[in-house]
Amino acid sequence: MTAAPQRTCIGCRKVRPKAALVRLVRGADGRVHVDDGGRAEGRGAYVCPDPGCLGKALHTGRLGHAFKRPCEPPASGAAAILNGRVVNDKARR
């Protein structure tokens, strides 16, 4: 039996199960978006679904460090990401 995949939140730096985190992906245009399905191409970064972690993670410096390239944070902001995550989680049930 293998352990569940673990990822580090770019906001708080805590290691958590991958399924408990929100995946962010940098597109070819440099814009960062939420990868709801977890299968988008490109390098991913993970963040806790918590307003504090998302707020820290959406700073350009943290995203740029995680993606190793300049990038533009999602225009929707932390609150919209969390609201979308709640809606998507309810739809999956």
Side-chain angles (χ1 to χ4, degrees):
M1 181 176 209
T2 60
Q6 304 278 312
R7 299 291 183 266
T8 302
C9 170
I10 62 171
C12 66
R13 307 296 305 160
K14 290 183 180 174
V15 177
R16 298 180 187 264
K18 180 180 171 183
L21 300 173
V22 176
R23 184 172 189 244
L24 303 174
V25 176
R26 181 188 182 275
D29 59 357
R31 292 184 180 162
V32 176
H33 60 90
V34 177
D35 178 18
D36 288 329
R39 297 185 181 268
E41 289 185 24
R43 185 176 180 88
Y46 293 84
V47 64
C48 296
D50 173 76
C53 286
L54 273 167
K56 289 180 186 175
L58 294 183
H59 286 284
T60 305
R62 294 223 179 178
L63 288 173
H65 181 77
F67 293 117
K68 299 182 180 180
R69 292 182 179 200
C71 53
E72 183 178 325
S76 55
I81 290 171
L82 286 176
N83 288 338
R85 171 98 176 173
V86 170
V87 170
N88 289 338
D89 286 348
K90 288 180 181 176
R92 290 181 190 154
R93 292 180 189 162

